[in-house]
Amino acid sequence: MTGSKGDFTVTVRKKARYVNENLCTGCGACAEKCPTIVSDDYDMGLGKRKAIYRHYAQGIPSIFCIDTDHCRTFQGKKCGVCEKVCQAKAIDYKQQDQILELKVGAIILATGYDLFDATRIPEYGYGRLPNVINAMEFERLLSASGPTEGHVERPSDLRDHHLIGTMGKGLKKSTKSLASYEKKHKMSSDDFYKQFTAGNISDGDEFPKWAKQYENVQEATKKLDELKAKAEKFDIATRLAFIQCVGSRDFRFNKYCSSYCCMHSIKEAMMAKDHDARTEAYIFNMDLRTVGKGFEEYKVRGAEDVGLHYIRGRVAEITQDENENPVIWYEETTSQTVKSMPVDLAVLAVACEAPKGIEKMAELVGAELDENRFFKTHPLQPLDTTVPGIFVCGCAQAPMDIPESVAQASSAASRAAETIAGK
Ligand code: SF4
Ligand code: SF4
């Protein structure tokens, strides 16, 4: 970037999507037939997507792109299925990144944010205990367009269901090969195994192989039955613990309040209760910061009308029981007693942090950052960075919720328009 207020020149890399955006109609035929299935980062790794995809269903413009790290064609394997099925002829494997030079009068920095990495607090077990998740993962589980279509399933159950599917397929294959032995020797595998182990029959190489295969099938069937019995014990998670201030208001990590997490946890708990009336939600907090029009009333309604439980106390540790259910250890400060509570799912309200790469962006535009790595602004001019003509909005300036980000975005657009108009 060069220039100054009213006359900037910005060089931008427009990444290739390998789909011609003037031709793609967003029909999705390519993704339907694409054979490559990968973990979906929009669903926080809890769901799957194809190698040709849209970041999320409501994204605008509704145009697909190819994930070159996983696409078979880009990985030197044989495929080209999307090109064959695309009736609009939109697939373009040869598309290149474009370098654009833009002449602009003002710039708005809208960087977004990163979530605090909860593995930095090992005593909470995130990344180690399967049913300890972060608030964004819970949001995807609760979403009707998410990986579980809004059913709050424990990640350990999702893992087990996946395992049951894979083991079931493997078992079907092994059982088929037993059937071919049975057909050839006109004998059931059970009878064969009894006679073989009793030493009544022998036949060079083939019978030991059949016996081994039979043993493998028996063992796999036993494991599969155990897993199915375990999976049947659980339906959906109805005992939920929300742990506030994970990485926020904690001098080891971020001393600031992330501002939206209290309301987010109350909203998610209310929605979970709305999905399933059996839900019991416990929100562990130092205090609930419900600052905003109608927010305090919403919190009170959560307790009085919906039955949410607000527990004042900072959680010390999360362990798990024999069913992989998280156990919350905490001091209830109102009664000054140390307690533990088993739940189905623990949801960590992780801090909102300035994104990785913000230092590089600041260096590029010459703007200063504040002590928390967000862009520095003046209290009376919260959209203006330290460089005239460069503005910020949303979490580029500080943690904030969606309505505040939207309001800031439109204010930043007005400030940019004023700059261009020379005011
Ligand atoms: S690339 Fe082709 S097949 Fe895929 S969504 Fe676009 S138009 Fe449909
Ligand atoms: S070429 Fe790549 S994106 Fe297209 S169908 Fe094959 S794997 Fe999927």
Side-chain angles (χ1 to χ4, degrees):
M1 185 207 86
T2 55
S4 57
K5 180 180 173 184
D7 182 24
F8 292 108
T9 303
V10 189
T11 309
V12 176
R13 177 185 294 272
K14 185 180 173 197
K15 284 190 154 184
R17 58 167 77 232
Y18 308 101
V19 173
N20 184 325
E21 57 201 69
N22 296 320
L23 299 177
C24 175
T25 60
C27 69
C30 50
E32 206 182 302
K33 297 286 179 206
C34 171
T36 308
I37 298 172
V38 294
S39 171
D40 187 347
D41 40 353
Y42 182 71
D43 273 339
M44 304 297 289
L46 294 165
K48 303 277 179 209
R49 65 160 168 79
K50 297 294 183 73
I52 186 162
Y53 71 111
R54 279 180 301 190
H55 188 47
Y56 60 100
Q58 298 82 7
I60 295 171
S62 180
I63 296 167
F64 282 62
C65 67
I66 293 180
D67 166 359
T68 54
D69 288 342
H70 295 100
C71 164
R72 292 183 187 204
T73 298
F74 281 90
Q75 294 304 314
K77 296 178 193 153
K78 237 179 135 192
C79 188
V81 169
C82 51
E83 191 179 32
K84 282 191 201 107
V85 300
C86 176
Q87 300 215 338
K89 307 270 173 251
I91 307 295
D92 179 3
Y93 299 125
K94 292 200 168 63
Q95 204 177 61
Q96 299 285 321
D97 289 359
Q98 282 175 272
I99 304 296
L100 308 174
E101 194 164 277
L102 307 175
K103 297 262 180 214
V104 295
I107 295 169
I108 300 171
L109 307 173
T111 57
Y113 63 96
D114 278 349
L115 293 175
F116 172 78
D117 174 9
T119 60
R120 293 172 71 195
I121 307 184
E123 55 271 31
Y124 284 175
Y126 181 78
R128 182 165 48 83
L129 310 181
N131 298 320
V132 176
I133 61 175
N134 71 31
M136 196 64 94
E137 289 162 344
F138 185 74
E139 147 81 26
R140 294 314 300 149
L141 286 180
L142 201 58
S143 168
S145 61
T148 55
E149 296 172 342
H151 302 290
V152 184
E153 291 191 44
R154 301 186 318 162
S156 64
D157 296 333
L158 289 176
R159 176 205 62 203
D160 288 352
H161 287 141
H162 179 70
L163 214 56
I164 287 171
T166 328
M167 282 173 75
K169 270 186 203 157
L171 196 57
K172 212 169 162 189
K173 230 170 152 185
S174 308
T175 313
K176 244 186 189 174
S177 85
L178 282 188
S180 70
Y181 284 120
E182 288 171 352
K183 194 172 171 194
K184 186 173 169 191
H185 297 283
K186 298 189 176 50
M187 182 181 348
S188 77
S189 290
D190 288 338
D191 286 346
F192 154 74
Y193 191 73
K194 269 183 216 148
Q195 294 200 43
F196 179 77
T197 46
N200 296 340
I201 51 172
S202 66
D203 175 23
D205 276 354
E206 188 161 279
F207 280 5
K209 275 191 199 159
W210 186 1
K212 185 80 196 141
Q213 183 79 340
Y214 177 83
E215 284 165 4
N216 288 345
V217 167
Q218 295 302 310
E219 202 180 313
T221 308
K222 192 172 160 233
K223 276 192 188 154
L224 188 59
D225 289 345
E226 281 169 6
L227 206 56
K228 280 182 179 166
K230 185 178 164 216
E232 267 170 24
K233 275 206 268 175
F234 296 97
D235 180 10
I236 64 166
T238 51
R239 276 177 72 82
L240 310 175
F242 293 84
I243 320 297
Q244 296 310 110
C245 300
V246 177
S248 308
R249 302 169 73 197
D250 183 333
F251 277 57
R252 295 172 298 172
F253 308 109
N254 301 300
K255 54 189 174 196
Y256 57 82
C257 164
S258 293
S259 82
Y260 58 71
C261 347
C262 287
M263 288 310 293
H264 185 257
S265 292
I266 296 171
K267 185 204 81 175
E268 296 290 301
M270 295 256 246
M271 284 177 65
K273 187 98 183 168
D274 195 41
H275 279 216
D276 192 314
R278 292 171 299 170
T279 301
E280 291 296 339
Y282 303 86
I283 303 183
F284 295 85
N285 63 91
M286 292 190 277
D287 51 39
L288 284 171
R289 296 194 159 174
T290 52
V291 185
K293 191 174 174 183
F295 287 9
E296 181 64 16
E297 292 85 334
Y298 188 77
K299 179 190 92 178
V300 171
R301 189 154 62 84
E304 290 182 356
D305 298 352
V306 183
L308 306 185
H309 309 277
Y310 303 135
I311 299 180
R312 187 169 185 280
R314 189 136 182 143
V315 170
E317 191 182 9
I318 305 176
T319 55
Q320 71 175 8
D321 67 13
E322 67 284 2
N323 293 319
E324 298 184 278
N325 279 330
V327 180
I328 316 294
W329 295 87
Y330 64 103
E331 183 196 2
E332 192 181 61
T333 52
T334 44
S335 60
Q336 295 189 331
T337 43
V338 174
K339 294 185 172 179
S340 66
M341 177 191 288
V343 291
D344 297 336
L345 205 55
V347 183
L348 308 180
V350 287
C352 166
E353 292 187 329
K356 279 171 216 72
I358 197 166
E359 286 83 1
K360 177 98 185 136
M361 166 76 81
E363 193 189 324
L364 213 67
V365 300
E368 285 177 48
L369 299 179
D370 64 21
E371 56 174 345
N372 296 318
R373 298 176 51 248
F374 296 101
F375 277 100
K376 192 174 190 175
T377 54
H378 189 276
L380 297 179
Q381 288 183 312
L383 305 170
D384 293 36
T385 66
T386 50
V387 179
I390 301 185
F391 306 101
V392 275
C393 66
C395 294
Q397 192 234 349
M400 65 184 70
D401 65 9
I402 296 171
E404 202 178 346
S405 299
V406 172
Q408 263 212 351
S410 77
S411 306
S414 302
R415 292 286 290 122
E418 278 172 8
T419 304
I420 293 165
K423 289 184 185 163

